[in-house]
Each structure stands twice: as structure tokens, then as C-alpha cells.
Amino acid sequence: MQSSRIEVLSELEKKVLWLASWTIHNANHLRENVDGLKVGGHQASSASLATIMTALYFDILRPQDRVAVKPHASPIFHAIQYLLGKQTREKLENFRGYKGAQSYPSRTKDIDDVDFSTGSVGLGVAQTLFSSIVQDYVHAHGLAKDKPEGRMIALVGDAELDEGNIFEALLEGWKQSLRNCWWIVDYNRQSLDAVVREGLWERYEQLFTNFGWEVVIVKYGSLQEAAFREPGGDKLRAWIDACPNPLYSALVFQGGAAWRKRLLDEIGDQGPVTALIEKRSDEELARLMNNLGGHDLPALIKAFQSIKHDRPVCFICYTVKGFGLPMAGHKDNHAGLMTPAQMETFRTQNHVRPGHEWDKFEGLTLPQETLQGFLDKVPFAQRKPAAKAPRIDIPATLSVPAQAVTSTQTGFGALMNEIAKSKEAYASRIVTTSPDVTVSTNLGAWVNRRGLFARSASLDTFRNERIPSTFAWEFSPGGQHIELGIAEMNLFILLSALGLSHAIEGERLLPIGTLYDPFIARGLDALNYACYQDARFIVVATPSGITLAPEGGAHQSIAQPLIGMAQDGLASFEPAFVDELAVILRFALDYIQKDGDATPSERNWLRDETGGSIYLRLSTRPVEQPQRAMSDELQQGIIDGAYWLRKPGPNAQVVVAYTGAIAPEAIEAVGLMGEDRRDVGLLAVTSADRLNAGWTAAQRAREHGLVHARSHIERLLDDVPAHCGLVTVLDGHPATLSWLGGVHGHRTRGLGVEHFGQTGSLPDLYRHYGIDANAIIAAAQGLTAGRPIRYLRALP
């Protein structure tokens, strides 16, 4: 007799729950034996999603669909991938161990089919929304023509919806006419510390409906629906609907006898409903009351298959946290683990023999041939590995009209304007975005030429009314700028989605996002998330530092250079001049496409073949531009992180190293010191991040026996005499550059900004914070012996 699809799925659901539970139990046993640590394995959170994920992965998903799995459901995800042949037993046995399956699904660290990394709750949810928008962008631009549109699906914990970034994303999705996005809410009514408030689902329903989503509530399972059709069933349904969340969870934990007593006490002797209750054993009654829609395969499949349109959908699926496990429903079950005795009982219930815990079909009743034949035909498993998206050629140089005095922010706008004029292929792959600061970050000229993206065309009303305006804001499917509202979290999650287009959509985009440098910190969690996924993009942060003098402390950045240095997967630059910026931007457009060997280059000890994302910290301060030829050596120095603007002589007493907009003060100080300090050097640092990364890599290489390893900064400082002092200065935290003294042991004085800024003129602020020419000279005199420097004025 042929087994029905639901029978096969039910068998697989049991196996998924067993494998996930055994994975967690085995991992904790291993950890406890090895290092004495025992950590919660999210057994309860995983269990609540076992049925939903079984229905999705084995029945509903198509090859083109993409899923962000709720972080705590990673054991269920890995178990499903194991059954599909995409995860290994060795990785599962080492779950949460070194190089084992990850605690939370990771694109870069797991070997199985992870679409989106998750971990910091809420971010993976929003990622699916922005990935849907990116899919629309790709198809609207005539790319990925042979690839069918997929759904971007997030498995969401109900407590996860407390995260504010989700609601920022919802608003942006409404603005961008979101399509092909499903959010499936695991409504188990428990957060980490408590049971969620009553009636929350009604607020969710209203909220999502207001933003144009269809809301599908999957509350009752097949057993409950059948019971409701019995005499008295309407009374049982009314009681379930009125039961408070904490009480329902407590009764789930207590079991059938507790259900019976509570139902009979509260419903009373009402004939038909009493008979409905009494004709069921305690075990049958518990099974009925626990049969919520999120644990019922027929109910879930019916709900998922009912969607025949591409509008966004929110499924609210009622579940029991820890369903099928001894701690089901208990409010303390978040980090709970089954005891060895409970695990043995669970083993018996699943008919799993000792020593056969990892066997794919152990304990199941259907023939192995039937189960394996089903798995071999699962639609989602037919997805082929994505072909590597081809690299986009970048011109050898980027040209920009020369100006005698300008800022790096203005230079960026001019560079983008020149690119916008280009007919080369790379220009059509650039997509820009900004959180309502497009004009004030100098992207206006680019947008005028390339337009704003929208699925439907919309003309510029001011232009149509013949009102003069500098900017032409016309929306069209061919536009190359995605305008966002003021929400930096949305910017970075959109950049993450755009920066994964080569992997998700099979088409490479070159994303550039702009924002004010102080507000990098507002989106830092999402920036970190984007880098963790290995998304590739360029973020241009401008204006920066206390140099944004009139705006006051709230709009002035201090620690952002340190963020650029510390953030993995992100190479940061802070050029002083526009010719440097042109070299860096050209490098960045190529660098974000690299995905090669991770071995450090012996020239600079940077892992440039692996690539990554780029952070450019720019300024609105106009400075005099150098008139010079861009030699290969100079270009390489700019990219590697530093070059000598004035090389120190053999008797150098002081070297000044500067970064960014403070260049005029550094140049002035060196010029004034030249009469009283010998062979003064001036080091232009374009990337403290890359200098530091190369130095660290070279030290590690030497420690591993590669004695010849020398980094770029070590070579630059090789000829600086040991007695020479270093003065470092930038408009940012002094620790950004003060580490340079550690390279060869030079005495160092780091100048920078350590406190909140204030309004004022540049001379006033630079003097107050000690980064003007006078402060640089004072620092040099304090470091070096010799007669007083004649141009030094007494500091206030």
C-alpha cells in the first residue's frame, strides 16, 4: 500500500526532532566532558519549529526560494540538511564545537545550505525583506533572466518581533512595494524570560495588514478542527480562545489529567462538551489540546498552499515551545536540557537503538526505500549550486575634474558624476542607496543621471510643473539609486542584501551606500551582520569628525576610525586628497568582487585575494589639492595604507603621521619645525586599518617560522632612526594611529579627539582639542631633544 504524503512527512518530522534533540544532547555531553561547560542548546525553541520546518523544507519550498532560519532553530535546520545529504555526521557530532555545525546558521562557517546567516535576532528577518527588493531590482534591470522569482522567507520567533529594526524594515517594505516575502511567526507565546502578553497576535495582525501584508493565522490543528465539529465543540473552541497564555503553557507542561480537571472545572457539566472531554483518555486529551496549528502538517500545508499571489504574507502559527519534549510549555525551558534519564525515555519513544542514534531512518516505520525515494524528490533539494557570478571589469583609473581646493566629499560626488556619464558595463552594475541624505552626501549628480529605482515609473512633479530645481527625482524600474527613509539599520541590511546578490541572485552588483559618519554607530549591529555574511559593498561615511564644526557634538564622530579598524570583513580608508580617493574608489570597486585564496600577500601581508567590504571616511573640509603625477608606487602606497609625503632623512628627530582632513595642519607643522628639527618626515596614512592588519599578519607569519615576512608599515619605518619621535594626528580617536610607535619601538605622542565635540570654527575646535599645527609642534618638542622650536606658541 502506497504511503500518503502526510504519512511520510510525519515520519520525517519525528526523525528531525530526534536528530535535533540528540545533536544538542550529544554536544552538551561532549562539552561537559572536555571543558566542564554545559550550555543550553535551545532544545525547546528548536522543537517548536520542527513541524513548520518539516512542511517547508520537504514540501513547500522551491529551488529558487530562500530562507532565514530563526537562530535558535539551528539544530532543526542542521537535522533537515543531514537528511537531505547536505550536512555531515561529523559536523553534527561536533555541534557548537570547533569547526562543527554552528550554534546559529552561518553562510560562511556552515557547510550546509544556509541562505542567510542569523544570530542577532531581528536582522535575518529584515534581510529577507530587503532581499526581495534586491530580487525586484535585479529582474527590473534585465538581469537573471533565466532565474524564476523566489520567495524570501523568514522563520521568526514571536519574541523576536520586539526588535525595532523589524518595524523599520516593514515601513521601508511598504514604500518599496514589497513582493515575494513570507514571514512565518513561531507564535509559542514564550520569550526568553516570560510568557508574552495577551492579545499580541491581534496587534500583529493589525500592524501587518496596515502595511499591506496578508495575515494568515494558523491556530488550530486537524484534531482540534475535528473536535470542534463534534457536539459541544463550539464550547471547547471558545474556552481555548479565552484561555490566557500562561495558563495554556502551564497546562501543556502538566499534561492530560491537568487539562481534564481544568476543562471540567471551568466549562462545567454542559452535556455534549463534557462527553467530548470524557470520551478521551488523558493521553488523547493532551494530544488534542496540544494540537495547535503550528504542529499540524495538514493545517500548515493548507495555509502555505493557499497563497497564490506575490504580495507579502505573515503567517502566525500557534505553537508550544518544546513541543514533543518533557519541558514543553514550561516557562523556564529556554535554556533547558533533557536529563540523561529523559533522553533515554525519549530514545525509547522514538525506537532508537543505542549506537544507531545517527542512522537516517532508525526508529521509523515506513520502508527506507520509501523515505529515501521521497527525500530524493524534495523540490527544494533540487537546487543546483550557484554558478560563480563573473567579475565586472573596472577601468585602470577613475578620472575626476581637477580642482585646486576641494573636499573629499565633493570629490566623491564628482567621481560618481563621471562614472554616471560612463557607458562602460561596470557603471550599470553600480547601485547606490542612502537613508534620506542622498544630496547632503553628494550623490545628487549621480542620481540625476542614473535615476531612482522603483517598480513603477513616477515622474518628477517639480520638473513637470516647470519649477526650477537642481535635482531630477524621477523613479523608474531602470533607476540605479534606492532612496531610503532615515533609518541606518535599513541602510546596512539593504547593503547586505545588495552585497549578496552575486550569491543569492547569481548577478553581481556593485553597491555603494552613503550616510553621515557619526551615524555609523546607529547601524553598527546591522553593519556587523552584513560583514559576518560576507556581503560585499562600499559604505561612504561623510561628513566626519569635529571638522563638521557648525553641527555640534551630536553630529561629530570620534570612535568611528576605531570601528573601521576593528570590524572584520571591512577595510577602512580615510583619504585627505581627491586623487587618493580616486585610487581608493577604483580599488574598492574591484576589491568587493574578490573571493580567492586567503593566503596573505608576501608584499604587504594583507589577504587581498579574499576581498571584503570597504568603508570610506570622508570630510566636507575643502583643502588645497596636491599637483602631482600618480605613479605606480604612490598608487600602491595609497592602497596599502600609507606613503611618505616627505621622507625623513637619516638624522630625523621627528616624524608626523596624519590621516584625513587634518592634512593641512600636519603639513604646516612640519614646515614650521623644519628650521629647528632635522630631517623631519611626514607620513600620509590613508588606511590605519590596512596598515595595522598587514603588521599583525606579518608578526603572526614570523611567529610561524616565515622569518622574511615584512609588512608595509615596517618597511616604511625601517629607515627612521631609533631616537626619532612619532607624532600622530587625526580628527578621530588618537588610538587609531598611536600604535605606530609599537612597530619599531619609537616614542610616540598620539593626538586626536577623545571627547564630544561642540560648535565653533575649525581653528577654535582644532586648538581646543589639540590637533592644530601648534599642538603638533608642542608634541614634537616634548618628544625630542634640542633647542626650542621657534614657531611654538604657548598652548592655552
Side-chain angles (χ1 to χ4, degrees), residues 5 12 53-67 77 79-87 112-113 115 360 371-386:
R5 193 169 189 81
L12 292 174
M53 292 177 67
T54 296
L56 279 176
Y57 279 91
F58 294 135
D59 190 81
I60 298 298
L61 295 178
R62 306 161 301 174
Q64 63 267 34
D65 295 332
R66 300 285 182 163
V67 186
F77 172 78
I80 288 172
Q81 296 290 309
Y82 179 65
L83 290 177
L84 291 173
K86 298 183 179 182
Q87 180 60 278
D112 42 9
D113 206 2
D115 294 317
K360 286 177 68 172
L371 295 167
Q372 188 60 58
F374 182 92
L375 291 172
D376 290 341
K377 296 178 182 177
V378 166
F380 185 69
Q382 309 310 309
R383 182 161 74 188
K384 302 291 190 298

Side-chain angles (χ1 to χ4, degrees), residues 10 19 87 131 235 368 387 523 604 623:
S10 296
L19 283 171
Q87 180 60 278
S131 289
K235 297 286 195 305
Q368 292 189 20
N604 57 14
V623 300

Side-chain angles (χ1 to χ4, degrees), residues 113-403:
D113 206 2
V114 179
D115 294 317
F116 305 110
S117 300
T118 52
S120 187
V121 294
L123 298 180
V125 181
Q127 173 88 30
T128 59
L129 182 149
F130 286 106
S131 289
S132 297
I133 294 171
V134 171
Q135 179 176 248
D136 282 342
Y137 181 94
V138 167
H139 283 268
H141 283 77
L143 305 174
K145 294 178 181 178
D146 298 329
K147 182 179 180 295
E149 291 181 349
R151 306 183 192 98
M152 305 296 171
I153 299 172
L155 297 168
V156 191
D158 49 5
E160 193 170 9
L161 289 174
D162 289 343
E163 290 289 348
N165 78 279
I166 289 178
F167 300 100
E168 293 176 2
L170 268 179
L171 180 58
E172 201 59 57
W174 173 78
K175 293 178 188 175
Q176 303 289 342
S177 304
L178 178 67
R179 303 186 309 138
N180 292 316
C181 187
W182 285 8
W183 288 359
I184 302 170
V185 180
D186 172 20
Y187 194 58
N188 60 47
R189 293 163 288 175
Q190 285 184 250
S191 59
L192 302 190
D193 298 325
V195 179
V196 302
R197 298 299 178 95
E198 296 299 323
L200 189 59
W201 69 270
E202 295 171 312
R203 301 295 180 266
Y204 291 155
E205 182 180 28
Q206 183 178 5
L207 180 73
F208 280 90
T209 300
N210 287 344
F211 281 116
W213 292 54
E214 179 175 344
V215 178
V216 177
I217 298 173
V218 188
K219 184 172 184 178
Y220 313 111
S222 302
L223 294 178
Q224 290 185 348
E225 292 284 9
F228 297 158
R229 291 191 291 270
E230 296 179 25
D234 56 334
K235 297 286 195 305
L236 178 63
R237 178 171 181 159
W239 186 91
I240 290 175
D241 289 344
C243 182
N245 290 340
L247 176 58
Y248 208 97
S249 294
L251 291 170
V252 167
F253 179 73
Q254 290 174 304
W259 277 117
R260 184 181 307 281
K261 184 177 186 306
R262 178 67 64 166
L263 287 169
L264 292 177
D265 285 350
E266 295 197 358
I267 295 178
D269 187 3
Q270 299 187 38
V273 69
T274 302
L276 185 155
I277 296 166
E278 292 288 18
K279 77 177 187 179
R280 289 170 168 84
S281 67
D282 284 350
E283 182 181 348
E284 291 170 333
L285 185 59
R287 191 180 307 118
L288 170 65
M289 299 306 290
N290 293 354
N291 179 232
L292 299 175
H295 299 305
D296 189 80
L297 285 165
L300 287 167
I301 291 171
K302 179 181 178 182
F304 294 146
Q305 289 182 342
S306 70
I307 303 304
K308 307 297 183 183
H309 56 75
D310 64 3
R311 289 190 295 112
V313 183
C314 174
F315 297 90
I316 299 176
C317 301
Y318 278 69
T319 61
V320 173
K321 192 170 183 177
F323 181 76
L325 304 179
M327 73 277 284
H330 198 291
K331 72 182 183 68
D332 297 341
N333 64 13
H334 170 66
L337 292 165
M338 282 193 280
T339 66
Q342 289 174 326
M343 196 68 208
E344 285 306 307
T345 300
F346 193 57
R347 180 203 298 277
T348 301
Q349 292 170 347
N350 282 274
H351 310 291
V352 174
R353 295 167 293 167
H356 293 265
E357 293 87 356
W358 300 107
D359 292 1
K360 286 177 68 172
F361 305 120
E362 174 72 7
L364 302 184
T365 57
L366 294 177
Q368 292 189 20
E369 296 78 11
T370 299
L371 295 167
Q372 188 60 58
F374 182 92
L375 291 172
D376 290 341
K377 296 178 182 177
V378 166
F380 185 69
Q382 309 310 309
R383 182 161 74 188
K384 302 291 190 298
K388 183 178 290 188
R391 293 268 291 274
I392 308 299
D393 289 335
I394 307 299
T397 59
L398 299 180
S399 61
V400 61
Q403 291 185 280

Side-chain angles (χ1 to χ4, degrees), residues 78 104 141 153 238 314 425 444 479 492 527 574 602 611 629 697 709 771:
H78 292 309
Y104 309 121
H141 283 77
I153 299 172
C314 174
F492 287 116
L527 171 59
E574 186 171 352
E602 293 188 16
I771 57 174

